[in-house]
Amino acid sequence: MVLNYIWIAFFVIAFVVALGEWLIGGNALIFGEMMNSAFEMAKTGFEISLGLTGVLTLWMGIMKIGERGGAVNVMSRAIAPFFRRLFPDLPKDSPAHGSMMLNIASNMLGLDNAATPMGLKAMQQMQEVNPDKAKASNAQIMFLVLNTSGLTVIPVSIMVYRAQLGAADPTDVFIPILISTYFSTLAGLIAVAVYQRIKLWDKVILAYLGAVTAVIAWVIWYFSSLEGEALTRASNVASNVILFSIIIAFIGMAAWRRINVYDAFIEGAKDGFSTAVKIIPYLIAILVAVGVFRASGAMDVLMGGIENLVVAMGFDASWVDAFPTALMKPLSGSGARGMMIDTMTTFGADSFAGRLACTFQGATDTTFYIIAVYFGSVGIRNTRYAIPCGLIADLAGVIAAIVVAYLFFA
């Protein structure tokens, strides 16, 4: 229901702004630009889904091998004490535990193409035990908010963009992004825990969170000791080695248990194709709304209002130049990426705005995109409190990014 109102609001606000631009500014072409954007975004949504088909087919097949061979079950048992407290409504032996862990691990490594299929698989497994198939369960909301909080340890793609745009040190945003995304994830976890009345001071939860914090602290220490190309190369190698090791472990364990690996892969791959087809309408719906909102000039009006308000309150408005990336990130990953690149091109890759835009890009994830794709893949229409909690995580990440950017780059 919330997504429905937001979707309508995008079009209504875009229409009002465009009407004013036509009647007051005399721009008679604005509606044509909006329609062109709508068609372009619809095409983009289909192309994304089409491109995702191959990746989904591959990873759904790998996941099926992991399920048949018992690797996913082993991973589930390792994380079970923690997940049993975060997902109390999910059966203890649910394979969704393993799928969620793989998804979160892939997100932490910045492996978006690998994370999405694993996340969709986890959502489908949770849907199997969801009593109300049209309404998001507590477990699905917790998982989705953890996903949208965008915990990223190695932001490889952002560092590559910075290098391409001439940054003196493309890796200087690494630690700010890591700190910001950690606060985003923590805020999302706390928000959902409050809704679901989960006791976060439980010893097991504190132990797991402490371990994760220690790992992140070690990663910060290790990668901060590297410079330039060495950091990018190390992060790329680490990501790919870990990912391929998972594939080999799944295949090896299944073969050791005398599972027909090829047949298992084919069975899972079929699910990947059907899932990719299911998400097309949901993905196009959200991308078209975002495209119309941008083309109407509503985004520019919003940014101008924010900057005037900040200045009127007597605060420094330097961060506002990077803010379009933060506003776009919950709506569209490609849109936010475009805003980030535009900011670096306009103000410079090593400018305060350029670095902050990169930090915004890495601090959170595409909340509305993920909700549309993940919930859409299993036919959920009632998202309950998933959007407010996801936006709380986004807000925490944005605030943390601004504070950290002033500490590191001002």
Side-chain angles (χ1 to χ4, degrees), residues 140-231:
Q140 287 172 320
I141 292 174
M142 174 63 84
F143 170 64
L144 187 132
V145 172
L146 290 178
N147 207 291
T148 61
S149 65
L151 181 60
T152 304
V153 175
I154 307 176
V156 177
S157 61
I158 295 175
M159 292 189 289
V160 170
Y161 283 121
R162 286 185 55 74
Q164 291 175 339
L165 291 172
D169 182 5
T171 64
D172 58 6
V173 297
F174 167 68
I175 294 179
I177 287 175
L178 186 57
I179 295 172
S180 302
T181 191
Y182 179 68
F183 277 105
S184 173
T185 301
L186 196 59
L189 175 61
I190 293 173
V192 178
V194 170
Y195 267 101
Q196 299 182 3
R197 299 181 180 179
I198 296 174
K199 297 178 180 178
L200 290 178
W201 55 87
D202 181 276
K203 292 181 179 179
V204 173
I205 293 179
L206 291 176
Y208 274 87
L209 289 178
V212 171
T213 302
V215 170
I216 290 177
W218 178 85
V219 170
I220 291 175
W221 170 81
Y222 174 72
F223 281 96
S224 63
S225 65
L226 303 178
E227 295 181 359
E229 294 183 3
L231 193 152

Coordinates of all heavy atoms in Angstrom, one line a residue, residues 140-231:
Q140 N 10.9 -11.9 6.1 CA 11.2 -11.3 4.8 C 11.5 -9.8 4.9 O 12.4 -9.3 4.2 CB 10.0 -11.5 3.8 CG 9.8 -12.9 3.3 CD 8.5 -13.1 2.6 OE1 7.5 -12.6 3.0 NE2 8.6 -13.9 1.5
I141 N 10.8 -9.1 5.8 CA 11.1 -7.7 6.1 C 12.5 -7.5 6.7 O 13.2 -6.6 6.3 CB 10.0 -7.1 7.0 CG1 8.7 -7.0 6.2 CG2 10.4 -5.6 7.4 CD1 7.5 -6.6 7.1
M142 N 12.8 -8.3 7.7 CA 14.1 -8.2 8.3 C 15.2 -8.4 7.2 O 16.2 -7.6 7.2 CB 14.3 -9.2 9.4 CG 15.7 -9.3 10.0 SD 16.2 -7.7 10.8 CE 15.5 -7.9 12.5
F143 N 15.1 -9.4 6.4 CA 16.1 -9.7 5.4 C 16.2 -8.6 4.4 O 17.3 -8.1 4.0 CB 15.8 -11.0 4.7 CG 16.6 -11.3 3.5 CD1 18.0 -11.5 3.6 CD2 16.0 -11.3 2.2 CE1 18.7 -11.7 2.5 CE2 16.8 -11.5 1.1 CZ 18.1 -11.7 1.2
L144 N 15.0 -8.1 4.0 CA 15.0 -7.0 2.9 C 15.7 -5.7 3.5 O 16.4 -5.1 2.7 CB 13.6 -6.7 2.5 CG 13.5 -5.8 1.3 CD1 12.6 -6.3 0.2 CD2 13.0 -4.4 1.7
V145 N 15.4 -5.4 4.7 CA 16.0 -4.1 5.3 C 17.5 -4.3 5.4 O 18.3 -3.4 5.2 CB 15.3 -3.8 6.6 CG1 16.0 -2.6 7.3 CG2 13.8 -3.4 6.4
L146 N 17.9 -5.5 5.9 CA 19.4 -5.7 5.9 C 20.0 -5.6 4.6 O 21.1 -5.1 4.4 CB 19.7 -7.1 6.5 CG 19.3 -7.3 8.0 CD1 19.6 -8.7 8.4 CD2 20.1 -6.3 8.9
N147 N 19.2 -6.0 3.6 CA 19.7 -5.9 2.2 C 19.8 -4.5 1.7 O 20.8 -4.1 1.1 CB 18.8 -6.8 1.3 CG 19.5 -7.3 0.0 OD1 19.8 -6.5 -0.8 ND2 19.7 -8.6 0.0
T148 N 18.7 -3.7 2.0 CA 18.7 -2.4 1.5 C 19.6 -1.4 2.2 O 20.0 -0.4 1.7 CB 17.2 -1.8 1.6 OG1 16.9 -1.8 3.0 CG2 16.2 -2.6 0.8
S149 N 20.1 -1.9 3.4 CA 21.0 -1.0 4.1 C 22.4 -1.0 3.4 O 23.2 -0.1 3.7 CB 21.2 -1.5 5.6 OG 21.7 -2.8 5.6
G150 N 22.6 -2.0 2.5 CA 23.8 -2.0 1.6 C 25.1 -2.1 2.3 O 26.1 -1.4 1.9
L151 N 25.3 -3.0 3.3 CA 26.6 -3.2 3.9 C 27.6 -3.6 2.9 O 27.5 -4.7 2.3 CB 26.4 -4.2 5.0 CG 27.7 -4.5 5.8 CD1 28.2 -3.3 6.5 CD2 27.5 -5.7 6.8
T152 N 28.5 -2.8 2.6 CA 29.6 -3.0 1.6 C 31.0 -2.8 2.2 O 31.3 -1.8 2.7 CB 29.4 -2.0 0.4 OG1 28.1 -2.2 -0.1 CG2 30.4 -2.4 -0.7
V153 N 31.8 -3.9 2.1 CA 33.1 -3.8 2.7 C 34.1 -3.4 1.6 O 35.0 -2.6 1.9 CB 33.5 -5.2 3.2 CG1 35.0 -5.2 3.7 CG2 32.6 -5.6 4.4
I154 N 33.9 -3.8 0.4 CA 34.8 -3.5 -0.7 C 34.1 -2.9 -1.9 O 33.5 -3.6 -2.7 CB 35.6 -4.8 -1.2 CG1 36.2 -5.5 0.0 CG2 36.6 -4.4 -2.2 CD1 36.9 -6.8 -0.4
P155 N 34.0 -1.5 -2.0 CA 33.3 -0.8 -3.0 C 34.1 -0.7 -4.3 O 34.5 0.4 -4.7 CB 33.0 0.5 -2.4 CG 34.2 0.8 -1.5 CD 34.6 -0.6 -1.0
V156 N 34.3 -1.9 -4.9 CA 35.2 -1.9 -6.1 C 34.8 -1.0 -7.2 O 35.5 -0.2 -7.8 CB 35.4 -3.3 -6.6 CG1 36.3 -3.3 -7.9 CG2 35.9 -4.2 -5.6
S157 N 33.5 -1.0 -7.6 CA 33.0 -0.3 -8.7 C 33.2 1.2 -8.5 O 33.5 1.9 -9.5 CB 31.5 -0.6 -9.0 OG 30.7 -0.3 -7.9
I158 N 32.9 1.7 -7.3 CA 33.1 3.1 -7.1 C 34.5 3.6 -7.2 O 34.8 4.6 -7.8 CB 32.6 3.5 -5.6 CG1 31.1 3.2 -5.5 CG2 32.9 4.9 -5.3 CD1 30.5 3.4 -4.2
M159 N 35.4 2.8 -6.8 CA 36.8 3.1 -6.9 C 37.3 3.1 -8.4 O 38.1 3.9 -8.8 CB 37.7 2.1 -6.1 CG 37.5 2.3 -4.6 SD 38.7 1.3 -3.6 CE 38.1 -0.4 -3.8
V160 N 36.7 2.2 -9.2 CA 37.0 2.2 -10.6 C 36.5 3.5 -11.3 O 37.2 4.1 -12.1 CB 36.3 0.9 -11.3 CG1 36.4 1.0 -12.8 CG2 37.0 -0.3 -10.8
Y161 N 35.3 3.9 -11.0 CA 34.7 5.1 -11.5 C 35.6 6.3 -11.1 O 35.9 7.2 -12.0 CB 33.3 5.4 -11.1 CG 32.3 4.5 -11.8 CD1 31.5 3.7 -11.0 CD2 32.1 4.6 -13.1 CE1 30.5 2.9 -11.7 CE2 31.2 3.8 -13.8 CZ 30.4 3.0 -13.1 OH 29.4 2.2 -13.7
R162 N 36.1 6.4 -9.9 CA 36.9 7.5 -9.5 C 38.2 7.5 -10.2 O 38.7 8.5 -10.6 CB 37.2 7.4 -8.0 CG 36.0 7.7 -7.1 CD 36.3 7.8 -5.6 NE 37.4 8.6 -5.3 CZ 37.4 9.9 -5.3 NH1 36.3 10.6 -5.6 NH2 38.5 10.6 -5.0
A163 N 38.8 6.3 -10.5 CA 40.0 6.2 -11.2 C 39.8 6.7 -12.7 O 40.7 7.4 -13.2 CB 40.5 4.8 -11.2
Q164 N 38.7 6.3 -13.3 CA 38.4 6.7 -14.7 C 38.2 8.2 -14.8 O 38.5 8.8 -15.8 CB 37.2 6.0 -15.2 CG 37.4 4.5 -15.4 CD 36.1 3.8 -15.7 OE1 35.0 4.3 -15.5 NE2 36.2 2.6 -16.3
L165 N 37.8 8.9 -13.7 CA 37.5 10.3 -13.8 C 38.7 11.1 -13.2 O 38.5 12.3 -12.9 CB 36.2 10.6 -13.0 CG 34.9 10.1 -13.7 CD1 33.7 10.3 -12.8 CD2 34.7 10.8 -15.0
G166 N 39.8 10.5 -13.0 CA 41.0 11.2 -12.7 C 41.3 11.5 -11.3 O 42.1 12.4 -11.0
A167 N 40.7 10.8 -10.3 CA 41.0 11.0 -8.9 C 42.5 10.7 -8.6 O 43.0 9.7 -9.1 CB 40.1 10.1 -8.1
A168 N 43.1 11.5 -7.8 CA 44.5 11.3 -7.5 C 44.6 10.1 -6.7 O 45.6 9.3 -6.9 CB 45.0 12.5 -6.6
D169 N 43.7 9.8 -5.8 CA 43.7 8.5 -5.0 C 42.3 8.0 -5.1 O 41.4 8.3 -4.2 CB 44.2 8.8 -3.6 CG 44.2 7.5 -2.8 OD1 44.0 6.4 -3.4 OD2 44.5 7.5 -1.6
P170 N 42.0 7.1 -6.0 CA 40.6 6.6 -6.1 C 40.1 5.8 -4.9 O 38.9 5.7 -4.7 CB 40.7 5.6 -7.3 CG 41.9 6.0 -8.1 CD 42.9 6.5 -7.0
T171 N 41.0 5.4 -4.0 CA 40.6 4.6 -2.9 C 40.4 5.4 -1.6 O 40.1 4.8 -0.6 CB 41.7 3.5 -2.6 OG1 42.9 4.2 -2.2 CG2 42.0 2.7 -3.8
D172 N 40.5 6.7 -1.7 CA 40.4 7.5 -0.5 C 39.0 7.5 0.1 O 38.8 8.0 1.2 CB 40.9 9.0 -0.7 CG 40.1 9.7 -1.8 OD1 39.1 9.1 -2.3 OD2 40.5 10.8 -2.2
V173 N 38.0 7.0 -0.6 CA 36.6 7.0 -0.1 C 36.3 5.6 0.6 O 35.2 5.4 1.1 CB 35.6 7.2 -1.2 CG1 35.7 8.6 -1.8 CG2 35.7 6.2 -2.3
F174 N 37.3 4.7 0.6 CA 37.1 3.4 1.0 C 36.6 3.3 2.5 O 35.6 2.8 2.8 CB 38.3 2.5 0.8 CG 38.3 1.2 1.6 CD1 37.5 0.2 1.2 CD2 39.2 1.0 2.6 CE1 37.5 -1.0 1.9 CE2 39.2 -0.2 3.3 CZ 38.3 -1.2 2.9
I175 N 37.4 3.9 3.4 CA 37.0 3.9 4.8 C 35.8 4.7 5.1 O 34.9 4.2 5.9 CB 38.2 4.4 5.7 CG1 39.4 3.4 5.5 CG2 37.8 4.6 7.1 CD1 40.6 3.8 6.3
P176 N 35.6 5.9 4.5 CA 34.3 6.6 4.8 C 33.1 5.8 4.4 O 32.1 5.8 5.1 CB 34.5 7.9 3.9 CG 35.9 8.1 3.9 CD 36.6 6.8 3.8
I177 N 33.2 5.1 3.2 CA 32.1 4.3 2.8 C 31.8 3.1 3.8 O 30.7 2.8 4.1 CB 32.3 3.7 1.4 CG1 32.2 4.8 0.3 CG2 31.3 2.6 1.1 CD1 32.5 4.4 -1.1
L178 N 32.9 2.5 4.2 CA 32.7 1.4 5.1 C 32.1 1.8 6.4 O 31.2 1.1 7.0 CB 34.1 0.7 5.4 CG 34.1 -0.5 6.2 CD1 33.3 -1.6 5.6 CD2 35.6 -1.0 6.4
I179 N 32.5 2.9 7.0 CA 31.9 3.4 8.2 C 30.5 3.8 8.0 O 29.6 3.5 8.8 CB 32.7 4.7 8.7 CG1 34.1 4.3 9.1 CG2 32.0 5.3 9.9 CD1 35.1 5.5 9.4
S180 N 30.1 4.5 6.9 CA 28.8 4.9 6.7 C 27.8 3.8 6.5 O 26.7 3.7 7.0 CB 28.7 5.9 5.4 OG 29.6 7.0 5.6
T181 N 28.3 2.8 5.7 CA 27.4 1.6 5.4 C 27.2 0.8 6.6 O 26.1 0.2 6.8 CB 27.9 0.8 4.2 OG1 27.0 -0.1 3.8 CG2 29.2 0.0 4.6
Y182 N 28.2 0.8 7.5 CA 28.0 0.0 8.8 C 26.9 0.6 9.6 O 26.1 -0.1 10.2 CB 29.3 -0.1 9.5 CG 29.2 -0.8 10.8 CD1 29.0 -2.2 10.9 CD2 29.4 -0.1 12.0 CE1 28.9 -2.8 12.1 CE2 29.3 -0.8 13.3 CZ 29.1 -2.1 13.3 OH 29.0 -2.8 14.5
F183 N 26.9 2.0 9.7 CA 25.9 2.6 10.5 C 24.5 2.5 9.9 O 23.5 2.4 10.6 CB 26.2 4.1 10.7 CG 27.2 4.4 11.8 CD1 28.5 4.7 11.5 CD2 26.8 4.4 13.1 CE1 29.4 5.0 12.5 CE2 27.7 4.6 14.1 CZ 29.0 4.9 13.8
S184 N 24.5 2.5 8.6 CA 23.2 2.2 7.9 C 22.6 0.9 8.2 O 21.4 0.8 8.5 CB 23.4 2.4 6.4 OG 22.3 2.0 5.6
T185 N 23.5 -0.1 8.1 CA 23.0 -1.5 8.4 C 22.6 -1.6 9.9 O 21.5 -2.3 10.2 CB 24.1 -2.5 8.1 OG1 24.5 -2.4 6.8 CG2 23.7 -3.9 8.4
L186 N 23.3 -1.1 10.8 CA 23.0 -1.1 12.2 C 21.7 -0.4 12.5 O 20.8 -0.9 13.2 CB 24.1 -0.5 13.0 CG 24.1 -0.7 14.5 CD1 24.3 -2.2 14.8 CD2 25.3 0.0 15.2
A187 N 21.4 0.7 11.8 CA 20.2 1.5 12.0 C 19.0 0.7 11.5 O 17.9 0.6 12.1 CB 20.2 2.8 11.3
G188 N 19.2 0.0 10.3 CA 18.1 -0.8 9.8 C 17.8 -2.0 10.7 O 16.6 -2.3 10.9
L189 N 18.8 -2.6 11.2 CA 18.6 -3.8 12.1 C 17.8 -3.3 13.3 O 16.9 -4.0 13.8 CB 20.0 -4.3 12.5 CG 20.0 -5.5 13.5 CD1 19.2 -6.7 13.0 CD2 21.4 -5.9 13.9
I190 N 18.2 -2.2 13.9 CA 17.6 -1.7 15.1 C 16.1 -1.3 14.8 O 15.2 -1.6 15.6 CB 18.3 -0.5 15.7 CG1 19.7 -1.0 16.2 CG2 17.5 0.1 16.8 CD1 20.6 0.2 16.7
A191 N 15.9 -0.7 13.7 CA 14.5 -0.3 13.3 C 13.6 -1.5 13.2 O 12.5 -1.4 13.8 CB 14.5 0.5 12.0
V192 N 14.0 -2.5 12.5 CA 13.1 -3.7 12.4 C 13.0 -4.4 13.7 O 11.9 -4.9 14.1 CB 13.7 -4.6 11.3 CG1 12.9 -5.9 11.2 CG2 13.8 -4.0 10.0
A193 N 14.1 -4.4 14.5 CA 14.0 -5.1 15.8 C 13.0 -4.4 16.7 O 12.3 -5.1 17.5 CB 15.4 -5.1 16.5
V194 N 12.9 -3.1 16.6 CA 11.9 -2.4 17.4 C 10.5 -2.7 17.0 O 9.6 -3.0 17.8 CB 12.1 -0.8 17.3 CG1 10.9 -0.1 17.9 CG2 13.4 -0.4 18.0
Y195 N 10.2 -2.8 15.7 CA 8.9 -3.2 15.2 C 8.6 -4.6 15.6 O 7.4 -4.9 16.0 CB 8.9 -3.1 13.6 CG 8.5 -1.8 13.1 CD1 9.4 -0.8 12.6 CD2 7.1 -1.5 13.0 CE1 8.9 0.4 12.1 CE2 6.7 -0.3 12.4 CZ 7.6 0.6 12.0 OH 7.2 1.8 11.4
Q196 N 9.5 -5.5 15.5 CA 9.3 -6.9 15.8 C 9.5 -7.3 17.2 O 9.4 -8.5 17.6 CB 10.1 -7.8 14.8 CG 9.8 -7.5 13.4 CD 10.6 -8.4 12.4 OE1 11.3 -9.3 12.8 NE2 10.4 -8.2 11.1
R197 N 10.0 -6.3 18.0 CA 10.2 -6.6 19.5 C 11.3 -7.7 19.7 O 11.1 -8.6 20.5 CB 8.9 -6.9 20.2 CG 7.9 -5.8 20.1 CD 6.7 -6.1 20.9 NE 5.7 -5.0 20.8 CZ 4.5 -5.0 21.4 NH1 4.1 -6.1 22.0 NH2 3.7 -4.0 21.3
I198 N 12.4 -7.6 18.9 CA 13.5 -8.5 19.0 C 14.5 -7.9 20.0 O 14.8 -6.8 20.0 CB 14.2 -8.7 17.7 CG1 13.2 -9.4 16.7 CG2 15.4 -9.6 17.8 CD1 13.7 -9.5 15.3
K199 N 14.9 -8.7 21.0 CA 15.8 -8.3 22.0 C 17.3 -8.3 21.5 O 17.9 -9.3 21.5 CB 15.7 -9.2 23.2 CG 14.3 -9.1 23.9 CD 14.2 -10.1 25.1 CE 12.9 -10.0 25.7 NZ 12.8 -11.0 26.9
L200 N 17.8 -7.1 21.1 CA 19.1 -7.1 20.5 C 20.2 -7.2 21.6 O 21.4 -7.4 21.2 CB 19.3 -5.7 19.8 CG 18.5 -5.6 18.5 CD1 18.7 -4.2 17.9 CD2 18.9 -6.6 17.5
W201 N 19.9 -7.1 22.9 CA 20.9 -7.2 23.9 C 21.1 -8.7 24.3 O 21.8 -9.0 25.2 CB 20.5 -6.4 25.1 CG 19.1 -6.8 25.7 CD1 18.8 -7.8 26.6 CD2 17.9 -6.1 25.4 NE1 17.5 -7.8 26.8 CE2 16.9 -6.8 26.1 CE3 17.6 -5.1 24.5 CZ2 15.6 -6.4 26.0 CZ3 16.2 -4.7 24.5 CH2 15.2 -5.4 25.2
D202 N 20.5 -9.6 23.5 CA 20.8 -11.0 23.7 C 22.3 -11.3 23.5 O 22.9 -10.8 22.6 CB 19.9 -11.8 22.7 CG 20.1 -13.3 22.8 OD1 21.1 -13.9 22.3 OD2 19.3 -14.0 23.5
K203 N 22.8 -12.2 24.3 CA 24.2 -12.5 24.3 C 24.7 -13.0 23.0 O 25.8 -12.7 22.5 CB 24.6 -13.5 25.4 CG 24.4 -13.0 26.8 CD 24.8 -14.0 27.8 CE 24.7 -13.5 29.3 NZ 25.0 -14.5 30.3
V204 N 23.9 -13.9 22.3 CA 24.3 -14.4 21.0 C 24.3 -13.3 20.0 O 25.3 -13.3 19.2 CB 23.3 -15.6 20.6 CG1 23.6 -16.0 19.2 CG2 23.4 -16.7 21.6
I205 N 23.3 -12.5 19.9 CA 23.3 -11.4 19.0 C 24.5 -10.5 19.2 O 25.1 -10.1 18.2 CB 21.9 -10.6 19.1 CG1 20.8 -11.5 18.6 CG2 22.0 -9.3 18.2 CD1 19.4 -10.8 18.7
L206 N 24.7 -10.1 20.4 CA 25.9 -9.2 20.7 C 27.2 -9.9 20.3 O 28.1 -9.2 19.8 CB 25.9 -8.9 22.2 CG 24.8 -8.0 22.7 CD1 24.9 -7.8 24.2 CD2 24.8 -6.6 22.0
A207 N 27.3 -11.2 20.5 CA 28.5 -11.9 20.1 C 28.7 -11.9 18.6 O 29.9 -11.6 18.1 CB 28.5 -13.4 20.6
Y208 N 27.7 -12.2 17.8 CA 27.8 -12.1 16.4 C 28.1 -10.7 15.9 O 29.0 -10.6 15.0 CB 26.5 -12.7 15.7 CG 26.5 -14.2 15.6 CD1 26.1 -15.0 16.6 CD2 27.0 -14.8 14.4 CE1 26.1 -16.4 16.5 CE2 27.0 -16.2 14.3 CZ 26.5 -17.0 15.3 OH 26.5 -18.4 15.2
L209 N 27.4 -9.7 16.4 CA 27.6 -8.4 16.0 C 29.0 -7.9 16.3 O 29.7 -7.2 15.5 CB 26.6 -7.4 16.6 CG 25.1 -7.6 16.1 CD1 24.2 -6.6 16.8 CD2 25.1 -7.3 14.6
G210 N 29.5 -8.3 17.5 CA 30.8 -8.0 17.9 C 31.9 -8.6 17.0 O 32.9 -8.0 16.6
A211 N 31.6 -9.9 16.5 CA 32.5 -10.5 15.6 C 32.6 -9.8 14.3 O 33.6 -9.6 13.7 CB 32.1 -12.0 15.4
V212 N 31.4 -9.4 13.8 CA 31.3 -8.7 12.5 C 32.0 -7.4 12.6 O 32.8 -7.0 11.7 CB 29.8 -8.5 12.1 CG1 29.8 -7.5 10.9 CG2 29.2 -9.8 11.8
T213 N 31.8 -6.7 13.7 CA 32.5 -5.4 13.9 C 34.0 -5.6 13.9 O 34.8 -4.8 13.4 CB 32.1 -4.8 15.3 OG1 30.6 -4.6 15.3 CG2 32.7 -3.4 15.5
A214 N 34.5 -6.7 14.6 CA 35.9 -6.9 14.6 C 36.5 -7.2 13.2 O 37.6 -6.7 12.9 CB 36.2 -8.1 15.5
V215 N 35.7 -8.0 12.4 CA 36.1 -8.3 11.0 C 36.2 -7.0 10.2 O 37.2 -6.7 9.5 CB 35.2 -9.2 10.4 CG1 35.5 -9.4 8.9 CG2 35.3 -10.6 11.0
I216 N 35.2 -6.1 10.4 CA 35.2 -4.8 9.6 C 36.4 -4.0 10.1 O 37.0 -3.3 9.3 CB 33.9 -4.1 9.8 CG1 32.7 -4.9 9.1 CG2 33.9 -2.7 9.3 CD1 31.4 -4.3 9.3
A217 N 36.7 -4.0 11.4 CA 37.8 -3.2 11.9 C 39.1 -3.7 11.3 O 40.0 -2.9 10.9 CB 37.8 -3.3 13.4
W218 N 39.2 -5.0 11.2 CA 40.4 -5.6 10.6 C 40.6 -5.2 9.1 O 41.6 -4.9 8.6 CB 40.4 -7.1 10.7 CG 41.6 -7.8 10.1 CD1 42.9 -7.9 10.6 CD2 41.7 -8.3 8.7 NE1 43.7 -8.5 9.7 CE2 43.1 -8.7 8.5 CE3 40.8 -8.4 7.7 CZ2 43.5 -9.3 7.3 CZ3 41.3 -8.9 6.5 CH2 42.6 -9.4 6.3
V219 N 39.4 -5.3 8.4 CA 39.4 -4.9 7.0 C 39.8 -3.5 6.8 O 40.6 -3.1 5.9 CB 38.0 -5.2 6.3 CG1 37.9 -4.6 4.9 CG2 37.7 -6.7 6.3
I220 N 39.3 -2.6 7.7 CA 39.7 -1.2 7.6 C 41.2 -1.0 7.8 O 41.9 -0.3 7.1 CB 38.9 -0.4 8.7 CG1 37.4 -0.3 8.3 CG2 39.5 1.0 8.8 CD1 36.6 0.4 9.4
W221 N 41.7 -1.7 8.8 CA 43.1 -1.6 9.1 C 44.0 -2.2 7.9 O 45.0 -1.5 7.5 CB 43.5 -2.4 10.4 CG 45.0 -2.6 10.6 CD1 45.8 -1.7 11.1 CD2 45.8 -3.7 10.2 NE1 47.1 -2.1 11.1 CE2 47.1 -3.4 10.6 CE3 45.5 -4.9 9.6 CZ2 48.2 -4.3 10.4 CZ3 46.6 -5.8 9.4 CH2 47.9 -5.5 9.8
Y222 N 43.6 -3.3 7.4 CA 44.4 -3.9 6.3 C 44.4 -3.1 5.1 O 45.4 -2.8 4.5 CB 43.9 -5.4 6.0 CG 44.6 -6.0 4.9 CD1 45.9 -6.4 5.0 CD2 44.0 -6.1 3.6 CE1 46.6 -7.0 3.9 CE2 44.6 -6.7 2.5 CZ 45.9 -7.1 2.7 OH 46.6 -7.7 1.6
F223 N 43.2 -2.8 4.6 CA 43.1 -2.1 3.3 C 43.6 -0.6 3.4 O 44.0 -0.1 2.4 CB 41.7 -2.1 2.8 CG 41.3 -3.4 2.1 CD1 40.7 -4.4 2.8 CD2 41.7 -3.7 0.8 CE1 40.4 -5.6 2.2 CE2 41.4 -4.9 0.2 CZ 40.7 -5.9 0.9
S224 N 43.5 0.0 4.6 CA 44.0 1.3 4.7 C 45.5 1.4 4.7 O 46.1 2.4 4.4 CB 43.5 1.9 6.1 OG 44.1 1.2 7.2
S225 N 46.2 0.2 4.8 CA 47.6 0.1 4.7 C 48.1 0.0 3.2 O 49.3 0.1 2.9 CB 48.2 -1.1 5.5 OG 47.7 -2.3 4.9
L226 N 47.1 -0.2 2.3 CA 47.4 -0.3 0.9 C 47.1 1.0 0.2 O 46.4 1.8 0.7 CB 46.6 -1.4 0.2 CG 46.7 -2.8 0.9 CD1 45.8 -3.8 0.1 CD2 48.1 -3.3 0.8
E227 N 47.8 1.2 -0.9 CA 47.6 2.5 -1.6 C 47.3 2.2 -3.1 O 47.8 1.2 -3.7 CB 48.8 3.3 -1.5 CG 49.1 3.8 -0.1 CD 50.3 4.7 0.0 OE1 51.0 4.9 -1.1 OE2 50.7 5.2 1.1
G228 N 46.5 3.1 -3.7 CA 46.2 3.1 -5.1 C 45.9 1.8 -5.7 O 44.9 1.2 -5.3
E229 N 46.6 1.4 -6.8 CA 46.3 0.2 -7.5 C 46.4 -1.0 -6.7 O 45.7 -2.0 -6.9 CB 47.2 0.1 -8.7 CG 47.1 1.2 -9.8 CD 48.0 1.0 -10.9 OE1 48.7 0.0 -11.0 OE2 48.0 1.8 -11.9
A230 N 47.3 -1.0 -5.7 CA 47.4 -2.2 -4.8 C 46.1 -2.5 -4.1 O 45.7 -3.7 -3.9 CB 48.5 -2.0 -3.8
L231 N 45.4 -1.5 -3.6 CA 44.1 -1.7 -2.9 C 43.1 -2.2 -3.9 O 42.4 -3.2 -3.5 CB 43.7 -0.4 -2.3 CG 42.5 -0.5 -1.2 CD1 42.6 0.6 -0.2 CD2 41.2 -0.5 -1.9

